[in-house]
């Protein structure tokens, strides 16, 4: 077998594979002999069917199958040995006059080659690295939420502005009938008209409320009515609210009993320590969001500033021919345009990983998975799992190849982020979480 490459340009090449009879003959003969031993053909004893008949029935199919296997194995070997960095897979060039009755064959494959380019980790323009802090306003609001959550309820006869009201929202005239039990905090309602209608009401009263402007967020309205968030957007209909309970919530005292419930015995022993713990925990969570924002911004910067060409025509053709169904030229172009940005970053990221020798070792992955498992268990109150238990769970997780792939990608993202923080041109900006949300998400 002879394989040669014709370079069309920097991003395109054609590989020619010449297959002779000597390359496949022995294998084909061996398979046909096995067929003959097993063949059951009327008029002949098993194993005594003439080889000519076997060749007539199965020869062409076996030949095609073996030649294709030879092509796949040797082409992959050639690409590896020649260190050709290809995009997609080699595409066989179609030949209308191809003759499988010949003894020798020649095949041609189109290749799309990865471009050559350089990545500058230190961009000219500094990228913002956010440091999100929990300010006093946020910490105090969190303390109030905790006091409410762990507070006690006292039944009331009449609704006041500081009460919680449990009732059922109804509207039978809508396309999808509304009937949902919800709890309303009167002080959090945005609509003054609805607040005025509810204040002074008693258990059993039925109040008509318009949904327009009832809450600050569409998600709150969706939850109260038991509908999807997109349906709550700009919804303005009358609904009835039948009052079932009226309660006044007495905030919990900031005492040792509450601190122990929140963090375990004697971890926190004063209001000042409580606020410090809230600040620490909040800022740890904020750091994850800030890191993700930084990673996204650096990714976008690489895509914008790292310029290189792609074998566009080849990739469109590859997309067109290799999916579940053959696409039209227009469909293939559309799919290419959707995936081009991701492909560009995939090439950039691959080069960064290679040039900086970033690798995910199994021991690292195991420790990373144990940390992930530990954080998951903490959410369910298991704060100090035994090392043996973590080892056993990690072993089960890492026996699943999909989980290995997912965790490996997360760990590599961490390694890339660490590299970027060391080498990228960054400027730190300290903001409150509220201002971070406004600045980043609008």
């Amino acid at each position: 077998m002879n394989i040669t490459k014709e370079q069309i340009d920097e991003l395109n090449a054609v590989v020619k594979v010449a297959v002779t009879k000597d390359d496949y003959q022995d294998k084909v003969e061996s398979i046909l002999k096995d067929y003959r031993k097993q063949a059951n053909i009327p008029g002949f004893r098993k194993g005594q069917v003439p080889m000519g008949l076997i060749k007539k029935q199965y020869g062409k199919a076996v030949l095609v199958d073996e030649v294709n296997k030879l092509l796949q194995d040797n082409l992959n070997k050639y690409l590896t040995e020649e260190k050709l960095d290809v995009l997609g897979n080699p595409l066989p060039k179609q030949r209308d006059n191809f003759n499988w009755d010949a003894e020798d064959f020649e095949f041609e494959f189109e290749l799309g080659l990865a471009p050559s380019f350089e990545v500058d980790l230190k961009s000219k323009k500094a990228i913002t690295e956010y440091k999100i802090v929990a300010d006093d306003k946020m910490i105090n609001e969190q303390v109030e939420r905790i006091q409410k959550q762990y507070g006690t309820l006292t039944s009331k006869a009449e609704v006041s502005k500081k009460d919680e009201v449990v009732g059922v929202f109804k509207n039978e005239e809508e396309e999808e009938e509304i009937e949902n039990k919800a709890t309303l905090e009167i002080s959090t309602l945005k609509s003054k008209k609805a607040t005025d209608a509810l204040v002074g009401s008693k258990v059993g009263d039925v109040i008509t409320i318009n949904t327009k402007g009832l809450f600050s967020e569409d998600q709150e309205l969706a939850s109260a009515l038991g509908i999807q968030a997109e349906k709550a957007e700009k919804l303005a209909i009358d609904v009835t609210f039948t009052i079932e309970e009226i309660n006044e919530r007495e905030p919990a005292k900031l005492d040792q009993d509450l601190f122990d419930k929140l963090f375990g015995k004697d971890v926190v022993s004063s209001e000042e320590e409580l606020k410090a713990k809230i600040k620490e925990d909040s800022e740890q969570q904020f750091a994850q969001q800030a890191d993700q924002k930084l990673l996204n911004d650096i990714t976008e910067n690489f895509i914008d500033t790292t310029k290189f060409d792609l074998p566009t025509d080849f990739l469109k053709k590859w997309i067109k021919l290799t999916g579940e169904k053959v696409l039209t030229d227009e469909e293939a172009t559309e799919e290419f345009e959707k995936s081009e940005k991701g492909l560009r970053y995939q090439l950039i990221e691959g080069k960064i990983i290679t040039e900086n020798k970033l690798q995910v070792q199994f021991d690292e992955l195991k420790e990373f998975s144990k940390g992930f498992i530990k954080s998951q268990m903490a959410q369910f109150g298991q704060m100090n799992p035994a090392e043996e238990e973590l080892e056993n769970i990690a072993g089960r997780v890492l026996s699943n190849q999909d989980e290995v792939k997912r965790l490996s990608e997360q760990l590599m993202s961490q390694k890339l982020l660490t590299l970027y923080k060391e080498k990228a041109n960054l400027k730190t900006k300290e903001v409150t979480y509220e201002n971070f949300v406004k600045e980043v998400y609008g």
Side-chain angles (χ1 to χ4, degrees), residues 144-163:
E144 287 178 13
R145 280 195 290 272
I146 289 170
Q147 287 183 278
K148 277 187 178 182
Q149 182 181 348
Y150 288 89
T152 55
L153 293 176
T154 304
S155 181
K156 298 276 296 295
E158 188 175 287
V159 178
S160 70
K161 287 187 178 180
K162 59 183 179 180
D163 293 336

Side-chain angles (χ1 to χ4, degrees), residues 162-225:
K162 59 183 179 180
D163 293 336
E164 295 178 10
V165 183
V166 178
V168 177
F169 280 107
K170 279 189 180 181
N171 183 304
E172 298 176 354
E173 297 174 5
E174 283 296 294
E175 186 176 317
E176 290 186 26
E177 185 177 327
I178 294 171
E179 184 170 353
N180 191 61
K181 191 169 184 175
T183 300
L184 301 181
E185 285 187 55
I186 303 302
S187 62
T188 64
L189 295 179
K190 186 180 177 184
S191 168
K192 183 177 183 303
K193 190 173 181 181
T195 301
D196 292 342
L198 286 162
V199 170
S201 300
K202 299 178 175 59
V203 172
D205 286 354
V206 180
I207 314 298
T208 299
I209 299 172
N210 193 278
T211 59
K212 184 178 181 181
L214 183 58
F215 297 98
S216 299
E217 302 289 339
D218 292 334
Q219 185 59 52
E220 293 177 276
L221 179 60
S223 177
L225 300 183

Side-chain angles (χ1 to χ4, degrees), residues 114-162:
S116 177
F117 60 91
E118 297 298 324
V119 181
D120 186 1
L121 291 178
K122 193 175 285 293
S123 58
K124 291 180 181 178
K125 184 179 179 182
I127 298 169
T128 301
E129 180 182 8
Y130 289 95
K131 181 182 178 184
I132 309 171
V133 296
D135 60 354
D136 290 342
K137 176 174 176 285
M138 181 181 191
I139 294 169
N140 290 334
E141 287 174 349
Q142 179 65 5
V143 171
E144 287 178 13
R145 280 195 290 272
I146 289 170
Q147 287 183 278
K148 277 187 178 182
Q149 182 181 348
Y150 288 89
T152 55
L153 293 176
T154 304
S155 181
K156 298 276 296 295
E158 188 175 287
V159 178
S160 70
K161 287 187 178 180
K162 59 183 179 180

Side-chain angles (χ1 to χ4, degrees), residues 266-283:
D266 297 331
V267 174
V268 167
S269 57
S270 67
E271 183 177 345
E272 289 71 26
E273 288 183 13
L274 169 66
K275 289 182 176 181
K277 191 75 170 71
I278 290 172
K279 181 178 177 66
E280 178 188 352
D281 291 348
S282 298
E283 289 181 355

Side-chain angles (χ1 to χ4, degrees), residues 303-314:
I303 293 170
D304 290 341
T305 60
T306 308
K307 303 298 183 183
F308 53 83
D309 292 327
L310 291 170
T312 302
D313 291 340
F314 170 83

